[in-house]
Amino acid sequence: MFFIIAGGLSAIVEIGSFKIFSTYLPHFLAKETNFHGVHYPLSNIFSTCCGIITNYFLSIWFVFERGKHSKKKEFAYFMAVSFFSTLLSLGFFQIFYSFIFKDNINLIFYTLSPEMISKIAAILLVSILNYSVKKKVIFNG
C-alpha cells in the first residue's frame, strides 16, 4: 500500500515536472520537441530524475525496510535500477507518443495531450518492474 502511495506521489512529481519542462524547454531549445526523432528527450530525462529522487526518499522513509546492503551500496543499486528504468521509460514514451496516442483526451476539467498520456502510460508500465526489482534486490529481499 505504501509503495502505491509513494509511487503515486513520485508519479505526480514526475508528470508535473514533465509538464513544466515540456512546456518551457522548447522555448529555449527548439529541437526539444523532436531531436532526431526523439520527442522531448530532456524533458523526459529531467522529469524522470525528479521522480526517481522523490521515490528514493519516500521508499527509504515509508515503503521498504533497510536491506542487507550499506546505505552507499543501496543508493548505488537504486540509481542503477532507476537508470535502467529511465531507459525503458524513455523507450516506452517514444513508442506511445510516436505510434499509439495521437489525440487529446478531454477529462472535462483538464485535457491530456498525447505527450502527457504517453508519459503516464510509460510510468505505469515501468513502475511494476521497479517494485519487483527494488523489493527483491535492493531492499529487504
Side-chain angles (χ1 to χ4, degrees):
M1 181 56 111
F2 285 123
F3 182 79
I4 293 170
I5 294 168
L9 291 173
S10 299
I12 289 169
V13 169
E14 186 171 342
I15 292 165
S17 59
F18 178 77
K19 179 65 176 171
I20 292 167
F21 290 131
S22 66
T23 300
Y24 294 107
L25 276 179
H27 294 298
F28 302 105
L29 302 165
K31 294 214 173 232
E32 174 65 2
T33 56
N34 188 354
F35 182 72
H36 301 288
V38 177
H39 304 284
Y40 301 99
L42 293 176
S43 298
N44 257 305
I45 291 168
F46 293 157
S47 65
T48 301
C49 288
C50 292
I52 288 169
I53 292 166
T54 302
N55 188 260
Y56 176 74
F57 287 108
L58 291 174
S59 291
I60 63 173
W61 291 335
F62 302 111
V63 179
F64 298 111
E65 294 176 21
R66 298 303 306 203
K68 55 190 172 253
H69 309 291
S70 68
K71 287 183 183 182
K72 279 184 181 179
K73 200 177 247 189
E74 183 180 273
F75 183 76
Y77 287 156
F78 192 95
M79 287 299 131
V81 169
S82 296
F83 176 76
F84 179 70
S85 297
T86 299
L87 295 178
L88 275 177
S89 181
L90 290 172
F92 284 134
F93 174 85
Q94 295 308 316
I95 291 167
F96 292 148
Y97 186 75
S98 298
F99 303 110
I100 298 173
F101 300 115
K102 297 292 186 182
D103 299 318
N104 292 336
I105 295 178
N106 187 351
L107 300 174
I108 299 170
F109 57 89
Y110 185 75
T111 300
L112 290 172
S113 62
E115 60 267 13
M116 292 304 291
I117 300 165
S118 300
K119 184 68 173 174
I120 292 167
I123 289 170
L124 290 173
L125 274 176
V126 172
S127 67
I128 296 166
L129 171 71
N130 272 338
Y131 177 76
S132 301
V133 172
K134 288 174 183 173
K135 180 167 176 52
K136 298 246 187 249
V137 177
I138 300 171
F139 294 105
N140 54 358

